[in-house]
Amino acid sequence: MLPSIVTLLALCAGLTAIRMGVEGRFELAIGAIILAAVLDGVDGRVARLLRSQSDFGSQLDSLADFVNFGVAPAIILYSWRMDELGSLGWIAALTFAICGALRLARFNAALVGEQPPAWHSEFFVGVPAPAGAVTVLLPLTLWKIGMPVPEGAAILVAIYTVAIGLLMVSRLPTLSGKKIGTAIPRESVLPVLVVSVFVIALLVSYTWSVLAIGAILYLAHLPFAWKRFEQRRRAFSGHHGETGSASDPKATERQEMDQRP
């Protein structure tokens, strides 16, 4: 039950973020989404450590993610600025939330489908829901650190919101970060702990600046993630192509036919 309890706590944080957004308490709203993102990263690890993974837990986690990272950010941005556009702003908010639902549905379907090569675990397909939630709130975090809001900002926020939603359902590869921290050398443990404490202290002391910089860096990494994915794909295809041509006569014949003028 412990992983499910953590997931329910994350869901409570996401629902609280919706309430704070409606009430205009945007600092607490974003803080609740950050808490939900942290708990979302914890519940899966707890399940794996306790060997208590279950279909029920997976479905509950997906439903919580839809609320926390699809519905909550959309409501917050609509309450903050997009309500000035009326129905058009609401359509932008709906689009982002629906993209979050579709992204999670595609992720769940991939779990029961044909398993991809092992190196695919280094990448996500599209922007993951937690990253999408933090990234879509970039206009709000920039406003909190003092950036002036120009005339017509509402329509820009709506366009940006839809664009991030489309990135979530796109086929663009993004780095998953699953390999980070899986094997830390003994001599690097203390430096890693010091850096972790430093980052947490920055997040607590300069929350809005850290969130804005993090969102910008995440968007900037997308071209590099795509390039890295293509490099891995070509290396994998080349290796298996050579192997297949050496062991499969039909593959050799096809290769010879391809090389004919």
Side-chain angles (χ1 to χ4, degrees):
M1 292 181 60
L2 186 57
S4 296
I5 291 175
V6 176
T7 303
L8 289 176
L9 290 176
L11 180 57
C12 290
L15 293 171
T16 302
I18 295 175
R19 175 193 171 186
M20 296 297 104
V22 171
E23 295 179 356
R25 300 156 71 181
F26 300 114
E27 297 89 346
L28 294 177
I30 294 182
I33 287 183
I34 295 174
L35 176 60
V38 172
L39 293 174
D40 178 67
V42 169
D43 60 0
R45 295 182 181 273
V46 170
R48 287 189 292 270
L49 286 174
L50 299 179
R51 297 181 180 178
S52 56
Q53 299 100 320
S54 65
D55 292 337
F56 174 82
S58 298
Q59 297 302 322
L60 179 62
D61 184 69
S62 292
L63 292 173
D65 286 353
F66 170 61
V67 174
N68 299 340
F69 311 126
V71 177
I75 295 296
I76 292 172
L77 288 175
Y78 179 80
S79 301
W80 171 61
R81 193 63 61 187
M82 291 193 300
D83 59 341
E84 299 176 5
L85 301 176
S87 297
L88 186 61
W90 182 243
I91 290 172
L94 284 178
T95 301
F96 179 82
I98 290 172
C99 287
L102 294 174
R103 193 253 179 275
L104 292 167
R106 184 178 65 186
F107 178 81
N108 290 342
L111 293 178
V112 297
E114 182 180 355
Q115 295 301 312
W119 63 271
H120 274 231
S121 63
E122 300 178 21
F123 303 91
F124 287 123
V125 179
V127 173
V134 174
T135 304
V136 79
L137 293 172
L138 176 61
L140 178 54
T141 55
L142 290 175
W143 173 69
K144 290 300 297 182
I145 63 179
M147 179 172 290
V149 179
E151 293 292 334
I155 187 64
L156 297 178
V157 173
I159 294 173
Y160 177 78
T161 301
V162 173
I164 297 299
L166 294 177
L167 284 176
M168 292 172 64
V169 297
S170 69
R171 305 295 300 181
L172 182 69
T174 58
L175 296 178
S176 68
K178 294 180 179 180
K179 301 295 184 180
I180 299 177
T182 55
I184 301 176
R186 184 181 300 273
E187 62 273 10
S188 301
V189 170
L190 290 180
V192 169
L193 290 176
V194 172
V195 171
S196 300
V197 172
F198 180 71
V199 171
I200 293 174
L202 284 177
L203 182 60
V204 173
S205 302
Y206 304 97
T207 305
W208 307 113
S209 299
V210 172
L211 289 176
I213 293 173
I216 293 172
L217 291 177
Y218 186 84
L219 292 175
H221 108 282
L222 296 179
F224 299 98
W226 177 81
K227 182 178 179 180
R228 174 64 176 169
F229 180 86
E230 289 297 314
Q231 290 174 345
R232 294 301 307 272
R233 183 185 62 81
R234 286 194 295 267
F236 179 81
S237 300
H239 172 73
H240 281 256
E242 293 174 1
T243 304
S245 62
S247 58
D248 185 0
K250 293 185 179 180
T252 304
E253 182 180 354
R254 286 194 299 268
Q255 184 179 5
E256 292 175 351
M257 292 180 64
D258 293 338
Q259 293 175 351
R260 293 175 184 174

